[in-house]
Amino acid sequence: MSAADPRVQLVRDATFVRLGTDGEISGVRGSAPDGLFLQDARHLSRWRLTVDGTAPVALVPATADTDDTAAGVLTPEGTRDNPPAYTVFRRQSVTAGTFTEHLSLVSNRPDAVTARLGLTVDADFADLFELRADDRHYAKPGAEYESRDTADGVLFNYRRADWHARTEITCDPAPDAVAPAPAQRGDTARTLTWHLPLDAHGRADLHLTVRARPHGRTRSPAPAPAAVRRPVRPDSATDDLARTCERGLADIDLLTIPAPGVDGEDVRVPAAGIPWFLTLFGRDSLLTAYFLLPYRPATAAAVLSALAATQGRRHDPFRGEQPGRIVHETRHGELAHFRQVPYGRYYGAVDATPLFLVLLHAHHETTGDRTLARRLERHARRAVDWMLTDGGLEQHGYLVYDPDPGGLVNQNWKDSAGAVCFRDGTQAGGPVAVCEAQGYAYDALLRTAELADAVWRDEAWARRLRESAARLRDRFTADFWMPDADFPALALDGDGRQVDALASDAGHLLWSGILDPERSRRVGRRLLEPDFFSGWAIRTLAAGQRPYHPLSYHRGSAWPHDNAVIVLGLARQGLAAEVRTVAEGLVAAAARHGHRLPEVLAGYDRSATAAPVPYPHSCSPQAWAAATPLALRTALGREPLGP
């Protein structure tokens, strides 16, 4: 729950539920939908309680006791002279594919009475892309919605061609009656009614279970094994960084989902974030795993295996697939199944492929284990081939992308429309070469050369990779450096012009090492000037430029993961004071939000407010934000996690 979104959110085992502060679900759409969600679909869209025909109000608003459980207290309306006749104690929780509720109805009357409790329920099976769409309608020819009474509840069915999803509600005790709810024509909502006898000041209990059955599953997913987390050693009794690390690791556990590995094995990987991205994301999962690498190397191994399993094999323009390309995201919903959106497996990322190679080498470097590198050698070779061919290194001299009118206009981490822009705010036309992707490519070539030498014993290929990296570095400085700004361009557009907005992407070049040390240090210090650094974090765009907006997704906000990459780069360049400054701002921001860093913060200056202003549509928890404090810890040179 946050000021920007007051809903209660419960998460566990790739399943989440979003509730009102009264514990209700009303079927809201837009930027903050409510409901029970699994595999990109809403399996519960209405959950409305009444007592004696009226809706109770929250006496104690629902509050999350833990990440997966919330409790609240409700009463019918009353007055000082005529206090409420009943009190409802409500406890709700979520686990793998399942939402449960325990209701205790307590009579406040001195005489025996029979209370009439009603619960209106529905399941609209809406795809997440439908819920997000502001003005787009997705046709569903032949779609059939059905609700059917059962001995102890209701079963909702949704069918469309070969697609079949279900939601099953069971009740203990069983309802006394089930009837269609007053609603619009065609609505499948049902109202379940109980007549509960209560002694004087007596109590009745009701146990409700909702099981989501997504398409392709006849049973709810199995709960994940309990995570074993090694504690972070605090440096003092008030070490906010240690607490932020602990919260971050807990959030990574919440976001961990199952995925098939390269040899068909089950692996567990961090999904990107809630509510929109509870699925495997190439770039997000790779950087999250990199941040965690000194602490949880097994996460990197799992992510690499899952991404190798989904590596591109053919050319499919609809979803951007190309041989050797690493996937941007995977989806399991209805619209992806029927190819109404390209995101079932969508490959529109220019940077995931080099980051795959960076992480593969980093895993070997950190663990000393050659097994994974040997296992994924052919996938690494395919990834390099993609960078040289379809990726653009041989034809254009750089990794490039063309805007995808059916998918993502921008295919770097700043993937919103208009994010890669000139100082006047104009979006760059393609093919676009963003600066940070060239740094990733340079680093990937050098790291892969080391694997070719040390693990794969291919010295000739290693030599060619190093030569390619050297040529890339030479032309990068010549083409991207803006002498007047003493700063690298955000990108080159399709005409080779420098996209001259001053952007945080430049900080990633310190991490990859594509800039020479002197320029790197100048860029690092420039990013700490007040137009970039808000006091909480480094903004995506420097303030004062025409396209800057503190509440823009990528043109003035501040992203913790972006800052984590920059901080690792600052540390690589020996800028220790700058590392401490950015780390302190991020940790202070986390401390004001329960030690949880959100996906993105507004770009307002720290002097303006006592706490960072939340971005209105930020995911929370979000994987690479959760892993950011671990990257800060590494950059600060703190000792590793406890035994």
Side-chain angles (χ1 to χ4, degrees):
M1 185 188 302
S2 69
D5 182 5
R7 298 193 187 282
V8 178
Q9 180 170 277
L10 308 177
V11 188
R12 185 64 63 191
D13 300 323
T15 309
F16 68 96
V17 66
R18 290 165 59 84
L19 307 159
T21 55
D22 53 3
E24 305 277 88
I25 296 170
S26 57
V28 170
R29 292 173 174 250
S31 62
D34 59 359
L36 172 66
F37 296 87
L38 179 63
Q39 287 194 189
D40 297 328
R42 179 160 66 181
H43 279 264
L44 190 64
S45 57
R46 198 178 307 183
W47 191 259
R48 306 300 297 269
L49 181 69
T50 61
V51 181
D52 286 348
T54 63
V57 296
L59 187 63
V60 177
T63 304
D65 296 338
T66 62
D67 293 313
D68 55 13
T69 302
V73 181
L74 309 172
T75 63
E77 290 187 353
T79 66
R80 183 176 63 179
D81 296 326
N82 187 22
Y86 307 102
T87 303
V88 181
F89 295 88
R90 188 171 218 172
R91 190 165 187 83
Q92 299 164 306
S93 63
V94 69
T95 186
T98 303
F99 170 63
T100 59
E101 174 159 339
H102 175 203
L103 286 170
S104 290
L105 179 66
V106 177
S107 173
N108 300 321
R109 294 178 174 176
D111 303 310
V113 67
T114 296
R116 178 166 53 89
L117 190 146
L119 183 68
T120 299
V121 297
D122 199 6
D124 64 3
F125 299 100
D127 190 287
L128 277 177
F129 285 95
E130 290 180 87
L131 297 177
R132 291 182 69 181
D134 295 327
D135 54 6
R136 183 170 179 179
H137 172 72
Y138 292 95
K140 294 188 173 186
E144 297 180 356
Y145 298 84
E146 175 199 35
S147 57
R148 179 163 53 87
D149 302 350
T150 64
D152 54 0
V154 179
L155 176 65
F156 294 96
N157 281 290
Y158 173 68
R159 290 182 174 88
R160 177 186 167 196
D162 63 340
W163 184 269
H164 182 200
R166 298 181 298 154
T167 298
E168 179 185 12
I169 301 175
T170 58
C171 314
D172 182 16
D176 297 306
V178 179
Q184 297 178 354
R185 176 186 288 181
D187 200 329
T188 57
R190 288 289 185 269
T191 296
L192 290 67
T193 303
W194 292 262
H195 298 282
L196 302 173
L198 297 168
D199 294 333
H201 299 291
R203 163 177 163 168
D205 291 289
L206 186 60
H207 298 271
L208 308 166
T209 302
V210 182
R211 294 182 177 89
R213 313 287 198 202
H215 175 71
R217 285 186 180 175
T218 58
R219 294 181 298 176
S220 296
V228 178
R229 290 199 305 274
R230 295 178 294 171
V232 179
R233 289 195 186 109
D235 294 313
S236 72
T238 58
D239 188 342
D240 284 325
L241 176 58
R243 287 167 173 77
T244 305
C245 287
E246 288 283 2
R247 178 67 262 177
L249 290 173
D251 283 344
I252 294 296
D253 292 339
L254 290 177
L255 292 167
T256 296
I257 60 172
V262 68
D263 295 321
E265 77 280 17
D266 289 331
V267 296
R268 301 192 66 81
V269 299
I274 294 173
W276 304 117
F277 308 117
L278 194 61
T279 187
L280 175 68
F281 264 68
R283 176 193 309 120
D284 298 52
S285 298
L286 286 162
L287 283 176
T288 297
Y290 186 92
F291 296 164
L292 294 173
L293 193 53
Y295 314 99
R296 288 186 174 183
T299 300
V303 166
L304 289 163
S305 181
L307 292 177
T310 54
Q311 190 174 28
R313 297 189 178 187
R314 61 192 178 95
H315 287 93
D316 181 353
F318 176 70
R319 56 186 190 176
E321 182 179 3
Q322 295 163 340
R325 195 176 195 182
I326 296 300
V327 75
H328 170 64
E329 67 180 281
T330 62
R331 292 289 182 173
H332 307 283
E334 174 191 0
L335 298 183
H337 176 80
F338 289 106
R339 288 175 69 91
Q340 292 176 272
V341 296
Y343 302 109
R345 279 192 187 176
Y346 184 63
Y347 291 82
V350 73
D351 49 7
T353 306
L355 287 171
F356 174 86
L357 295 167
V358 168
L359 184 62
L360 181 62
H361 170 269
H363 178 270
H364 168 257
E365 182 180 50
T366 300
T367 65
D369 184 359
R370 299 184 176 193
T371 305
L372 185 65
R374 287 177 176 145
R375 185 183 180 200
L376 300 184
E377 177 184 357
R378 62 191 176 98
H379 300 86
R381 290 180 180 270
R382 290 172 186 165
V384 171
D385 287 345
W386 177 84
M387 290 200 303
L388 296 173
T389 56
D390 288 316
L393 281 179
E394 289 182 340
Q395 179 181 354
H396 299 280
Y398 296 109
L399 289 186
V400 299
Y401 64 85
D402 282 300
D404 180 0
L408 295 173
V409 173
N410 288 309
Q411 297 188 2
N412 62 328
W413 83 262
K414 293 179 178 176
D415 58 6
S416 61
V420 180
C421 62
F422 292 85
R423 283 199 189 195
D424 65 2
T426 304
Q427 164 70 34
V432 179
V434 288
C435 68
E436 75 272 18
Q438 316 318 316
Y440 303 159
Y442 170 77
D443 195 20
L445 291 169
L446 290 182
R447 287 175 178 268
T448 307
E450 288 190 18
L451 290 176
D453 266 339
V455 180
W456 304 324
R457 304 303 182 190
D458 191 341
E459 295 180 3
W461 193 49
R463 183 173 60 254
R464 293 196 299 273
L465 294 175
R466 291 190 178 100
E467 290 169 354
S468 294
R471 292 193 297 271
L472 174 58
R473 191 184 199 201
D474 289 343
R475 61 179 175 265
F476 179 85
T477 301
D479 293 344
F480 276 79
W481 192 256
M482 300 186 297
D484 291 344
D486 198 32
F487 203 77
L490 169 57
L492 302 180
D493 74 356
D495 296 321
R497 296 181 300 167
Q498 292 180 335
V499 180
D500 59 354
L502 302 183
S504 63
D505 308 55
H508 294 221
L509 307 176
L510 282 62
W511 177 56
S512 64
I514 195 170
L515 284 179
D516 63 82
E518 181 54 37
R519 283 190 176 92
S520 292
R521 286 190 287 271
R522 296 207 301 271
V523 169
R525 295 186 181 106
R526 178 68 183 83
L527 290 169
L528 271 293
E529 293 296 321
D531 59 343
F532 264 118
F533 185 60
S534 70
W536 303 113
I538 295 168
R539 301 179 178 97
T540 46
L541 277 187
Q545 302 175 97
R546 181 177 177 81
Y548 170 79
H549 191 304
L551 290 174
S552 169
Y553 199 49
H554 289 127
R555 304 207 309 188
S557 59
W559 289 62
H561 93 275
D562 184 31
N563 279 252
V565 175
I566 294 170
V567 165
L568 291 171
L570 293 170
R572 176 175 180 172
Q573 304 303 326
L575 298 173
E578 287 78 4
V579 168
R580 290 192 295 272
T581 297
V582 179
E584 186 280 329
L586 285 168
V587 172
R592 288 160 175 80
H593 288 285
H595 295 97
R596 171 183 277 168
L597 282 168
E599 174 190 27
V600 55
L601 302 167
Y604 296 110
D605 193 83
R606 186 170 177 173
S607 63
T609 56
V613 176
Y615 177 77
H617 312 301
S618 180
C619 287
S620 184
Q622 206 262 7
W624 57 14
T628 286
L630 283 304
L632 300 181
R633 191 175 185 89
T634 299
L636 289 165
R638 297 285 186 94
E639 62 186 49
L641 298 181

